[in-house]
Amino acid sequence: MTNLRKLFFTTAYLIVCIGLSQAQELSIRGSFNSSAINYKSGNQIVHKQGAVPSPGFSVGSILDLPLTNLLSLETGIIFTKKGPKIVYDRYNYLYKIDIYYLETPFQLKATYQKGKTKIFGMAGGYIASGLFGYYIGTGDKDSIRIHTKDKVDWRNPDNPIRRFDYGIKFGAGMKIRNYQFGAAYSLGLFNFWQGGSLEYRNRVLEFYVAYTIKCFTNKINRLKQLTQINKKS
């Protein structure tokens, strides 16, 4: 897993370096997340009725790298919270695992412009590495309300949660001037739970707002014009 972490952070660093030199737009994005898990034992879905969405968030920077007039590659670095939330009626018990990831998406983005509004759709994948996390429990015992909160310790070999995560991601939205409004869904493919026969895979629905703080399009067009003028002269 240490090698996977090194690979992730090296990849993220290269994306930022290469992306900044090739990007058409640089945006800051924030979102509200509703996270859950695909919680299975073999082919059987466990706690289907007790699993409820867990609120979260994400914030980060997004780069838009042009490929054609229609297509671009969207990537960046995002700090995000994911994890399951399970409710048991008995003992009024609630159990959560909050995991905070550093995530890098790779999405092919198709954009159609209608007047001053741009409409886009995206599809691709993501990789992520856990930074820290918590096991949180609340329940009644002997008429006493009990709260527990334990840190996820990846250095402990008995810790059942794996740090790495990856999956597919798709979404859609619109852009009006410097503002983007969109929704995306992440479908985790990696079983991050190594405790027995159970399988945990992340599922995240997010609604986001982004603001373009740097647009390189005008500069790129200006450089092309200057190059053509120099060739003619």
CSV table of all heavy atoms in Angstrom, one decimal, residues 76-113:
chain,number,residue,atom,x,y,z
A,76,GLY,N,-7.7,17.4,-11.6
A,76,GLY,CA,-7.3,18.3,-10.5
A,76,GLY,C,-7.1,17.5,-9.2
A,76,GLY,O,-6.8,16.3,-9.3
A,77,ILE,N,-7.1,18.3,-8.1
A,77,ILE,CA,-6.9,17.7,-6.8
A,77,ILE,C,-8.0,18.1,-5.9
A,77,ILE,O,-8.3,19.3,-5.7
A,77,ILE,CB,-5.5,18.1,-6.2
A,77,ILE,CG1,-4.4,17.5,-7.1
A,77,ILE,CG2,-5.4,17.5,-4.8
A,77,ILE,CD1,-3.0,17.9,-6.6
A,78,ILE,N,-8.7,17.2,-5.2
A,78,ILE,CA,-9.9,17.5,-4.4
A,78,ILE,C,-9.8,16.8,-3.1
A,78,ILE,O,-9.4,15.6,-2.9
A,78,ILE,CB,-11.2,17.0,-5.1
A,78,ILE,CG1,-11.4,17.7,-6.5
A,78,ILE,CG2,-12.4,17.2,-4.2
A,78,ILE,CD1,-12.5,17.1,-7.3
A,79,PHE,N,-10.1,17.6,-2.0
A,79,PHE,CA,-10.2,17.1,-0.6
A,79,PHE,C,-11.6,16.7,-0.4
A,79,PHE,O,-12.5,17.6,-0.5
A,79,PHE,CB,-9.6,18.1,0.4
A,79,PHE,CG,-9.8,17.7,1.8
A,79,PHE,CD1,-9.0,16.7,2.3
A,79,PHE,CD2,-10.7,18.3,2.6
A,79,PHE,CE1,-9.1,16.3,3.6
A,79,PHE,CE2,-10.8,18.0,3.9
A,79,PHE,CZ,-10.1,16.9,4.5
A,80,THR,N,-11.9,15.5,0.0
A,80,THR,CA,-13.3,15.1,0.0
A,80,THR,C,-13.6,14.1,1.2
A,80,THR,O,-12.7,13.4,1.6
A,80,THR,CB,-13.8,14.4,-1.3
A,80,THR,OG1,-15.2,14.1,-1.2
A,80,THR,CG2,-13.0,13.2,-1.6
A,81,LYS,N,-14.8,14.1,1.7
A,81,LYS,CA,-15.2,13.2,2.8
A,81,LYS,C,-16.2,12.1,2.2
A,81,LYS,O,-17.1,12.5,1.5
A,81,LYS,CB,-15.9,14.0,3.9
A,81,LYS,CG,-16.5,13.1,5.0
A,81,LYS,CD,-17.3,13.9,6.0
A,81,LYS,CE,-18.2,13.0,6.9
A,81,LYS,NZ,-19.2,12.3,6.1
A,82,LYS,N,-15.9,10.9,2.5
A,82,LYS,CA,-16.8,9.8,2.1
A,82,LYS,C,-17.0,8.8,3.3
A,82,LYS,O,-16.4,9.0,4.4
A,82,LYS,CB,-16.1,9.0,1.0
A,82,LYS,CG,-15.8,9.8,-0.3
A,82,LYS,CD,-15.2,8.9,-1.3
A,82,LYS,CE,-14.7,9.7,-2.5
A,82,LYS,NZ,-14.1,8.9,-3.6
A,83,GLY,N,-17.8,7.8,3.1
A,83,GLY,CA,-18.0,6.8,4.1
A,83,GLY,C,-19.4,6.5,4.4
A,83,GLY,O,-20.3,7.2,4.0
A,84,PRO,N,-19.7,5.3,5.0
A,84,PRO,CA,-21.0,4.8,5.3
A,84,PRO,C,-21.6,5.3,6.5
A,84,PRO,O,-20.9,5.7,7.5
A,84,PRO,CB,-20.8,3.3,5.4
A,84,PRO,CG,-19.4,3.2,6.0
A,84,PRO,CD,-18.6,4.3,5.4
A,85,LYS,N,-23.0,5.3,6.6
A,85,LYS,CA,-23.7,5.6,7.8
A,85,LYS,C,-24.8,4.5,7.9
A,85,LYS,O,-25.6,4.4,7.0
A,85,LYS,CB,-24.3,7.0,7.6
A,85,LYS,CG,-25.1,7.5,8.8
A,85,LYS,CD,-25.6,8.9,8.6
A,85,LYS,CE,-26.5,9.4,9.7
A,85,LYS,NZ,-27.0,10.8,9.4
A,86,ILE,N,-24.9,3.8,9.0
A,86,ILE,CA,-25.8,2.7,9.2
A,86,ILE,C,-26.6,3.0,10.5
A,86,ILE,O,-26.0,3.3,11.5
A,86,ILE,CB,-25.1,1.4,9.2
A,86,ILE,CG1,-24.4,1.2,7.9
A,86,ILE,CG2,-26.1,0.3,9.5
A,86,ILE,CD1,-23.5,-0.1,7.9
A,87,VAL,N,-27.9,2.8,10.4
A,87,VAL,CA,-28.8,3.1,11.6
A,87,VAL,C,-29.4,1.8,12.0
A,87,VAL,O,-30.0,1.0,11.1
A,87,VAL,CB,-29.8,4.1,11.2
A,87,VAL,CG1,-30.8,4.3,12.4
A,87,VAL,CG2,-29.2,5.5,10.9
A,88,TYR,N,-29.4,1.5,13.3
A,88,TYR,CA,-30.1,0.3,13.9
A,88,TYR,C,-31.2,0.8,14.8
A,88,TYR,O,-31.0,1.6,15.7
A,88,TYR,CB,-29.2,-0.6,14.7
A,88,TYR,CG,-28.0,-1.1,13.9
A,88,TYR,CD1,-26.8,-0.4,13.8
A,88,TYR,CD2,-28.0,-2.4,13.3
A,88,TYR,CE1,-25.7,-0.9,13.1
A,88,TYR,CE2,-27.0,-2.9,12.6
A,88,TYR,CZ,-25.8,-2.2,12.5
A,88,TYR,OH,-24.7,-2.7,11.9
A,89,ASP,N,-32.4,0.3,14.6
A,89,ASP,CA,-33.5,0.8,15.4
A,89,ASP,C,-33.3,0.3,16.9
A,89,ASP,O,-33.7,1.0,17.8
A,89,ASP,CB,-34.9,0.2,14.9
A,89,ASP,CG,-35.2,0.9,13.6
A,89,ASP,OD1,-34.8,2.0,13.3
A,89,ASP,OD2,-35.9,0.2,12.8
A,90,ARG,N,-32.8,-0.9,17.0
A,90,ARG,CA,-32.5,-1.4,18.3
A,90,ARG,C,-31.4,-0.6,19.0
A,90,ARG,O,-30.4,-0.3,18.4
A,90,ARG,CB,-32.1,-2.9,18.2
A,90,ARG,CG,-32.0,-3.6,19.6
A,90,ARG,CD,-31.6,-5.0,19.4
A,90,ARG,NE,-31.6,-5.7,20.7
A,90,ARG,CZ,-31.2,-7.0,20.8
A,90,ARG,NH1,-30.8,-7.7,19.8
A,90,ARG,NH2,-31.2,-7.5,22.0
A,91,TYR,N,-31.7,-0.2,20.2
A,91,TYR,CA,-30.7,0.6,21.0
A,91,TYR,C,-30.5,2.0,20.4
A,91,TYR,O,-29.6,2.7,20.8
A,91,TYR,CB,-29.4,-0.1,21.2
A,91,TYR,CG,-29.4,-1.5,21.7
A,91,TYR,CD1,-28.9,-2.5,21.0
A,91,TYR,CD2,-30.1,-1.7,22.9
A,91,TYR,CE1,-29.0,-3.8,21.5
A,91,TYR,CE2,-30.1,-3.0,23.4
A,91,TYR,CZ,-29.6,-4.0,22.7
A,91,TYR,OH,-29.7,-5.3,23.2
A,92,ASN,N,-31.4,2.4,19.4
A,92,ASN,CA,-31.2,3.7,18.8
A,92,ASN,C,-29.8,4.0,18.4
A,92,ASN,O,-29.2,5.0,18.7
A,92,ASN,CB,-31.7,4.8,19.8
A,92,ASN,CG,-31.9,6.1,19.2
A,92,ASN,OD1,-32.1,6.3,18.0
A,92,ASN,ND2,-31.9,7.2,20.0
A,93,TYR,N,-29.2,3.0,17.7
A,93,TYR,CA,-27.8,3.0,17.4
A,93,TYR,C,-27.5,3.6,16.0
A,93,TYR,O,-28.1,3.3,15.0
A,93,TYR,CB,-27.2,1.6,17.5
A,93,TYR,CG,-25.8,1.5,17.4
A,93,TYR,CD1,-24.9,2.0,18.4
A,93,TYR,CD2,-25.2,0.9,16.3
A,93,TYR,CE1,-23.5,1.9,18.2
A,93,TYR,CE2,-23.8,0.8,16.1
A,93,TYR,CZ,-23.0,1.3,17.1
A,93,TYR,OH,-21.6,1.2,17.0
A,94,LEU,N,-26.5,4.4,15.9
A,94,LEU,CA,-26.0,4.9,14.7
A,94,LEU,C,-24.5,4.7,14.6
A,94,LEU,O,-23.7,4.9,15.5
A,94,LEU,CB,-26.2,6.4,14.6
A,94,LEU,CG,-25.8,7.2,13.3
A,94,LEU,CD1,-26.7,8.3,13.0
A,94,LEU,CD2,-24.4,7.7,13.5
A,95,TYR,N,-24.0,4.2,13.4
A,95,TYR,CA,-22.6,3.9,13.2
A,95,TYR,C,-22.2,4.5,11.9
A,95,TYR,O,-22.8,4.4,10.9
A,95,TYR,CB,-22.5,2.3,13.1
A,95,TYR,CG,-21.1,1.9,12.7
A,95,TYR,CD1,-20.0,2.1,13.6
A,95,TYR,CD2,-20.8,1.3,11.5
A,95,TYR,CE1,-18.7,1.7,13.3
A,95,TYR,CE2,-19.5,0.9,11.2
A,95,TYR,CZ,-18.5,1.1,12.1
A,95,TYR,OH,-17.2,0.7,11.8
A,96,LYS,N,-21.0,5.2,12.0
A,96,LYS,CA,-20.5,5.9,10.8
A,96,LYS,C,-19.0,5.6,10.7
A,96,LYS,O,-18.3,5.4,11.7
A,96,LYS,CB,-20.7,7.4,10.9
A,96,LYS,CG,-22.1,7.9,10.8
A,96,LYS,CD,-22.1,9.4,10.4
A,96,LYS,CE,-21.2,10.3,11.4
A,96,LYS,NZ,-21.2,11.7,10.9
A,97,ILE,N,-18.5,5.7,9.4
A,97,ILE,CA,-17.1,5.7,9.2
A,97,ILE,C,-16.8,6.9,8.3
A,97,ILE,O,-17.3,6.9,7.1
A,97,ILE,CB,-16.6,4.4,8.5
A,97,ILE,CG1,-16.9,3.2,9.3
A,97,ILE,CG2,-15.1,4.5,8.3
A,97,ILE,CD1,-16.5,1.9,8.6
A,98,ASP,N,-16.2,7.9,8.8
A,98,ASP,CA,-15.9,9.1,8.0
A,98,ASP,C,-14.4,9.0,7.6
A,98,ASP,O,-13.5,9.0,8.4
A,98,ASP,CB,-16.0,10.4,8.9
A,98,ASP,CG,-17.5,10.6,9.2
A,98,ASP,OD1,-18.4,10.1,8.5
A,98,ASP,OD2,-17.8,11.4,10.1
A,99,ILE,N,-14.2,9.0,6.2
A,99,ILE,CA,-12.9,8.9,5.7
A,99,ILE,C,-12.6,10.1,4.8
A,99,ILE,O,-13.5,10.5,4.0
A,99,ILE,CB,-12.7,7.6,4.8
A,99,ILE,CG1,-13.1,6.4,5.6
A,99,ILE,CG2,-11.2,7.5,4.4
A,99,ILE,CD1,-13.1,5.1,4.8
A,100,TYR,N,-11.5,10.8,5.0
A,100,TYR,CA,-11.2,12.0,4.3
A,100,TYR,C,-10.1,11.7,3.3
A,100,TYR,O,-9.0,11.3,3.7
A,100,TYR,CB,-10.7,13.1,5.3
A,100,TYR,CG,-11.8,13.5,6.2
A,100,TYR,CD1,-12.1,12.8,7.4
A,100,TYR,CD2,-12.7,14.6,5.9
A,100,TYR,CE1,-13.1,13.2,8.2
A,100,TYR,CE2,-13.7,15.0,6.8
A,100,TYR,CZ,-13.9,14.3,7.9
A,100,TYR,OH,-14.9,14.6,8.8
A,101,TYR,N,-10.4,11.9,2.0
A,101,TYR,CA,-9.5,11.5,0.9
A,101,TYR,C,-8.9,12.7,0.2
A,101,TYR,O,-9.5,13.8,0.2
A,101,TYR,CB,-10.3,10.7,-0.1
A,101,TYR,CG,-10.7,9.3,0.3
A,101,TYR,CD1,-12.0,9.1,0.8
A,101,TYR,CD2,-9.9,8.2,0.1
A,101,TYR,CE1,-12.4,7.8,1.1
A,101,TYR,CE2,-10.3,6.9,0.5
A,101,TYR,CZ,-11.6,6.7,1.0
A,101,TYR,OH,-12.0,5.5,1.3
A,102,LEU,N,-7.8,12.5,-0.4
A,102,LEU,CA,-7.3,13.4,-1.4
A,102,LEU,C,-7.5,12.7,-2.8
A,102,LEU,O,-7.0,11.6,-3.0
A,102,LEU,CB,-5.8,13.7,-1.2
A,102,LEU,CG,-5.2,14.9,-2.0
A,102,LEU,CD1,-5.9,16.1,-1.5
A,102,LEU,CD2,-3.7,15.0,-1.8
A,103,GLU,N,-8.3,13.3,-3.6
A,103,GLU,CA,-8.8,12.6,-4.8
A,103,GLU,C,-8.4,13.3,-6.1
A,103,GLU,O,-8.4,14.5,-6.1
A,103,GLU,CB,-10.3,12.5,-4.8
A,103,GLU,CG,-11.0,11.8,-6.0
A,103,GLU,CD,-12.5,11.7,-5.8
A,103,GLU,OE1,-12.9,11.1,-4.9
A,103,GLU,OE2,-13.2,12.3,-6.7
A,104,THR,N,-8.0,12.5,-7.1
A,104,THR,CA,-7.7,13.1,-8.4
A,104,THR,C,-8.7,12.5,-9.5
A,104,THR,O,-8.6,11.3,-9.7
A,104,THR,CB,-6.3,12.8,-8.8
A,104,THR,OG1,-5.4,13.5,-7.9
A,104,THR,CG2,-6.0,13.3,-10.2
A,105,PRO,N,-9.6,13.3,-10.1
A,105,PRO,CA,-10.4,12.7,-11.1
A,105,PRO,C,-9.8,12.8,-12.5
A,105,PRO,O,-8.9,13.7,-12.7
A,105,PRO,CB,-11.6,13.7,-11.0
A,105,PRO,CG,-11.1,15.0,-10.6
A,105,PRO,CD,-9.9,14.7,-9.7
A,106,PHE,N,-10.2,12.0,-13.4
A,106,PHE,CA,-9.8,12.0,-14.8
A,106,PHE,C,-11.1,11.9,-15.6
A,106,PHE,O,-11.6,10.8,-15.7
A,106,PHE,CB,-8.9,10.9,-15.2
A,106,PHE,CG,-7.6,10.8,-14.3
A,106,PHE,CD1,-7.6,10.1,-13.2
A,106,PHE,CD2,-6.5,11.5,-14.7
A,106,PHE,CE1,-6.5,10.0,-12.4
A,106,PHE,CE2,-5.3,11.4,-13.9
A,106,PHE,CZ,-5.3,10.6,-12.8
A,107,GLN,N,-11.6,12.9,-16.2
A,107,GLN,CA,-12.9,12.9,-16.9
A,107,GLN,C,-12.8,13.5,-18.3
A,107,GLN,O,-12.3,14.6,-18.4
A,107,GLN,CB,-14.0,13.6,-16.1
A,107,GLN,CG,-14.3,12.8,-14.8
A,107,GLN,CD,-15.5,13.5,-14.0
A,107,GLN,OE1,-15.3,14.5,-13.3
A,107,GLN,NE2,-16.7,13.0,-14.2
A,108,LEU,N,-13.3,12.8,-19.2
A,108,LEU,CA,-13.5,13.4,-20.6
A,108,LEU,C,-14.7,14.2,-20.6
A,108,LEU,O,-15.8,13.8,-20.2
A,108,LEU,CB,-13.6,12.2,-21.6
A,108,LEU,CG,-13.4,12.7,-23.1
A,108,LEU,CD1,-12.1,13.3,-23.3
A,108,LEU,CD2,-13.7,11.5,-24.0
A,109,LYS,N,-14.6,15.5,-21.0
A,109,LYS,CA,-15.7,16.5,-20.9
A,109,LYS,C,-16.1,17.0,-22.3
A,109,LYS,O,-15.3,17.4,-23.0
A,109,LYS,CB,-15.2,17.6,-20.0
A,109,LYS,CG,-16.2,18.7,-19.8
A,109,LYS,CD,-15.6,19.8,-18.8
A,109,LYS,CE,-16.5,20.9,-18.6
A,109,LYS,NZ,-15.9,21.9,-17.7
A,110,ALA,N,-17.4,16.8,-22.6
A,110,ALA,CA,-17.9,17.3,-23.9
A,110,ALA,C,-18.8,18.6,-23.6
A,110,ALA,O,-19.6,18.5,-22.7
A,110,ALA,CB,-18.8,16.3,-24.6
A,111,THR,N,-18.5,19.7,-24.3
A,111,THR,CA,-19.2,20.9,-24.0
A,111,THR,C,-19.9,21.5,-25.2
A,111,THR,O,-19.3,21.5,-26.3
A,111,THR,CB,-18.1,22.0,-23.5
A,111,THR,OG1,-17.4,21.5,-22.4
A,111,THR,CG2,-18.8,23.3,-23.2
A,112,TYR,N,-21.1,21.9,-25.0
A,112,TYR,CA,-21.9,22.5,-26.1
A,112,TYR,C,-22.3,23.9,-25.7
A,112,TYR,O,-22.8,24.1,-24.5
A,112,TYR,CB,-23.1,21.7,-26.4
A,112,TYR,CG,-24.1,22.3,-27.3
A,112,TYR,CD1,-23.9,22.4,-28.7
A,112,TYR,CD2,-25.3,22.9,-26.8
A,112,TYR,CE1,-24.8,23.0,-29.6
A,112,TYR,CE2,-26.2,23.5,-27.7
A,112,TYR,CZ,-25.9,23.5,-29.1
A,112,TYR,OH,-26.8,24.1,-29.9
A,113,GLN,N,-22.1,24.9,-26.5
A,113,GLN,CA,-22.4,26.3,-26.1
A,113,GLN,C,-23.7,26.7,-26.8
A,113,GLN,O,-23.9,26.6,-28.0
A,113,GLN,CB,-21.2,27.2,-26.5
A,113,GLN,CG,-21.4,28.7,-26.1
A,113,GLN,CD,-20.2,29.5,-26.0
A,113,GLN,OE1,-19.1,28.9,-26.2
A,113,GLN,NE2,-20.3,30.7,-25.7
